[in-house]
Amino acid sequence: MPVVHTYCSAPVSPAAREALKTAYGKAIEAVPGKSEAWLMCLFEDDAQIYFAGDDSEPSVLVDVSVFARSEVPATAWERFTEEVTPAICRELGVDPTRVYIRYGWTPSFGWNGANF
C-alpha cells in the first residue's frame, strides 16, 4: 500500500500529474514487494511553501508512505529519490535544491474496512 503525496507551490498541470504518476509507479518498485498495482498518488498544487524562509521560487515536498512488516532498506529510498527527482524537477519546474522527499513506513494500514 504505497502512497506518494506531492505538494507543490506552483500549479501542476494534468500532463505533469500524469508524468509524475508514471515516474512514481516505476520508482516504487525499488521498495521490496511494492508496485504500481496498489500505488495511490495525491497531488496538491499552489501550496503555500516557504523554503529557507523564502517563497519566491517553486518548492516541492513529496511524502512517501508504505505498508511494510519491517523497516524498508535505506537503499530503496535512495533509489526512489534518484529516479524521481529528475522527473519532479522537469515536470514542475523546480530546482532540485528546493525538493524534499520524506519517507515513512508503517506495519498497520487500513483498506476495504479492515487493517492489514
Side-chain angles (χ1 to χ4, degrees), residues 37-53:
W38 288 94
L39 177 62
M40 182 179 284
C41 297
L42 296 86
F43 294 92
E44 292 190 42
D45 61 357
D46 293 320
Q48 299 299 305
I49 301 175
Y50 287 81
F51 185 83

Side-chain angles (χ1 to χ4, degrees), residues 77 82-83 114:
W77 300 139
E82 291 170 359
E83 290 185 23

Side-chain angles (χ1 to χ4, degrees), residues 35-76:
S35 71
E36 187 177 28
W38 288 94
L39 177 62
M40 182 179 284
C41 297
L42 296 86
F43 294 92
E44 292 190 42
D45 61 357
D46 293 320
Q48 299 299 305
I49 301 175
Y50 287 81
F51 185 83
D54 175 34
D55 69 346
S56 66
E57 298 291 327
S59 297
V60 173
L61 168 65
V62 178
D63 195 5
V64 183
S65 301
V66 298
F67 165 70
R69 295 285 182 203
S70 61
E71 188 170 349
V72 175
T75 55

Side-chain angles (χ1 to χ4, degrees), residues 6-14 17 42-48 92:
T6 304
Y7 303 85
C8 182
S9 63
V12 178
S13 71
R17 281 194 309 268
L42 296 86
F43 294 92
E44 292 190 42
D45 61 357
D46 293 320
Q48 299 299 305
L92 302 179

